[in-house]
Amino acid sequence: MTIYVHPRYNRSHARLDPQLQRLADRRILLFRRDPFDPRLDTHPLHGKLKKQWSFSINQRDRILFEFLDKKKEEVAFLDIGDHSIYR
């Protein structure tokens, strides 16, 4: 799987607590192996974000992303953080 990273994601990731950064990095490894692993709670979004998806880092924080191809082999990480990233 190829993961592209949006500059907004990089800025948001840099502002996270180091412990949350490490947890996010572990979740990304899990995502690379299986984007639909039940532990990630990967789900499509609705409304104006209907082309985007998210998966859970913990109970509060998410990674917002978009599949770039039909085979789901290319992904763009758009943002990371709490539910405010959906605005």
Side-chain angles (χ1 to χ4, degrees):
M1 172 181 289
T2 303
I3 298 176
Y4 302 97
V5 180
H6 191 278
R8 183 177 352 117
Y9 176 90
N10 284 332
R11 286 190 303 272
S12 296
H13 187 275
R15 287 191 297 255
L16 295 176
D17 175 84
Q19 185 177 0
L20 186 55
Q21 288 177 349
R22 287 189 296 276
L23 179 57
D25 293 343
R26 287 194 303 269
R27 290 298 194 157
I28 291 167
L29 289 175
L30 186 59
F31 180 84
R32 280 183 180 278
R33 281 186 258 138
D34 178 6
F36 297 100
D37 185 301
R39 293 172 285 182
L40 295 173
D41 188 31
T42 304
H43 59 279
L45 302 178
H46 306 282
K48 66 180 182 172
L49 301 176
K50 68 182 177 182
K51 292 184 178 184
Q52 298 172 1
W53 294 66
S54 76
F55 68 88
S56 300
I57 299 169
N58 56 28
Q59 288 181 326
R60 192 188 90 197
D61 299 292
R62 310 283 183 267
I63 291 180
L64 180 67
F65 70 95
E66 194 169 312
F67 287 110
L68 301 176
D69 65 334
K70 291 182 181 185
K71 293 182 179 182
K72 296 181 173 38
E73 294 175 357
E74 292 188 342
V75 173
F77 283 180
L78 304 174
D79 207 351
I80 184 172
D82 61 22
H83 282 89
S84 67
I85 63 173
Y86 299 137
R87 295 182 197 155

